[in-house]
Amino acid sequence: MERRVTTGTILRESFQVFQHGFVSLLLLSLVLYTPVFLISGVLLPEMIIEQPRQIGGLWLGLSVLAVVVFANIASAALVRTVFRLLRGNPPDLLQSVRTGLRRWLPLLLAAVFSGLLVLVGLAFCIIPGLIAASGLYVAIPALIVERKGPLDCLHRSWDLTDRYKLSIFGVVFLLSLLGWGLQQIEVLLFSELAQQGVGNLLWLLISGGVDLVLFALQAAATTVAYHQLRTIKEGVGEEELLAVFD
């Protein structure tokens, strides 16, 4: 039976990888994504509410920059971890972190360029932005695995997703829908905890845990999509592709 790259095949393998490497993926996300959660979810909102006049543009800009840097380092580290899981090897968390740290600047530039392209696309009737988000979906794996530059990885992702952008959009849409559903549950849970007089700490822990799960699952889906496109569309051998980090 001919293998195909579809929304279903990507999500199915992503959930399998996520289940198999649940502890490693969550631990890596916890270490690298926690600064993102603390800055964007706790520090900035608190300062904006309590000291809106004291927050200057420079501090806000540096905070956003820190969020983008840590998030992309975490994504790169998870790419390496997922590749090892696909190969059946045990994760090497320390080496995965090093992989992200070594390429933090290209990752940052790629995130800025892709983010701008998506935002510009969304400004033009939304649909071009959705197409851009789908076409640039595997830019980070291309940057890490093929050692592309911040612009080259965007071109590579666009070419690699050619004729498969609708399938990629399905993955983006369904995972976004999952995230939205979990956020609605968080809101209901927060209301219930508030009525019972429980402090915000428990809710922050629950919210942070959900964010970590979603982040790790998104990274797994991105890597699996890249892996399937390389092996099925381009015919690259499994051993050749998965041995890149050995």
Side-chain angles (χ1 to χ4, degrees), residues 10-11 13-15 17-18 82 137-138 141 168 171-172 175 214-228:
I10 294 171
L11 288 177
E13 189 171 9
S14 299
F15 278 103
V17 170
F18 182 74
V82 171
Y137 190 66
V138 295
I168 298 297
V171 174
V172 174
L175 289 181
L214 289 173
F215 182 75
L217 185 56
Q218 288 277 9
T222 303
T223 308
V224 167
Y226 173 82
H227 171 258
Q228 289 190 7

Side-chain angles (χ1 to χ4, degrees), residues 105-123:
L105 184 55
L107 286 165
L108 172 62
L109 295 175
V112 171
F113 295 150
S114 62
L116 288 175
L117 289 172
V118 172
L119 286 176
V120 170
L122 290 174

Side-chain angles (χ1 to χ4, degrees), residues 35-97:
V36 176
F37 176 74
L38 291 177
I39 294 172
S40 63
V42 180
L43 181 61
L44 278 180
E46 182 177 340
M47 294 189 68
I48 291 173
I49 292 173
E50 296 185 1
Q51 298 176 317
R53 296 182 179 179
Q54 282 72 25
I55 298 181
L58 178 60
W59 168 246
L60 182 61
L62 289 175
S63 299
V64 172
L65 179 64
V67 167
V68 175
V69 169
F70 276 107
N72 281 279
I73 289 174
S75 296
L78 287 169
V79 166
R80 187 184 192 280
T81 300
V82 171
F83 259 92
R84 288 187 63 84
L85 290 170
L86 288 169
R87 189 175 171 83
N89 292 338
D92 185 345
L93 300 186
L94 182 58
Q95 192 58 45
S96 293
V97 173

Side-chain angles (χ1 to χ4, degrees), residues 107-244:
L107 286 165
L108 172 62
L109 295 175
V112 171
F113 295 150
S114 62
L116 288 175
L117 289 172
V118 172
L119 286 176
V120 170
L122 290 174
F124 289 93
C125 302
I126 299 179
I127 293 178
L130 300 178
I131 296 174
S134 302
L136 303 176
Y137 190 66
V138 295
I140 289 182
L143 187 150
I144 296 299
V145 176
E146 302 177 46
R147 295 176 174 82
K148 297 287 186 180
L151 288 177
D152 289 339
C153 73
L154 303 185
H155 289 294
R156 176 60 171 149
S157 178
W158 190 264
D159 292 339
L160 199 56
T161 56
D162 185 39
R163 296 185 293 110
Y164 292 95
K165 289 182 176 62
L166 186 59
S167 297
I168 298 297
F169 172 74
V171 174
V172 174
F173 175 76
L174 290 176
L175 289 181
S176 298
L177 188 62
L178 173 63
W180 178 84
L182 291 176
Q183 288 175 352
Q184 300 313 302
I185 295 175
E186 285 182 32
V187 172
L188 294 175
L189 182 60
F190 176 72
S191 300
E192 184 66 25
L193 292 175
Q195 290 178 2
Q196 296 179 7
V198 179
N200 290 338
L201 179 59
L202 179 58
W203 179 78
L204 284 174
L205 291 175
I206 295 173
S207 178
V210 171
D211 286 348
L212 290 178
V213 169
L214 289 173
F215 182 75
L217 185 56
Q218 288 277 9
T222 303
T223 308
V224 167
Y226 173 82
H227 171 258
Q228 289 190 7
L229 288 168
R230 291 293 309 277
T231 56
I232 297 175
K233 178 184 177 181
E234 296 189 332
V236 177
E238 291 273 355
E239 292 297 317
E240 177 186 353
L241 181 59
L242 297 180
V244 65

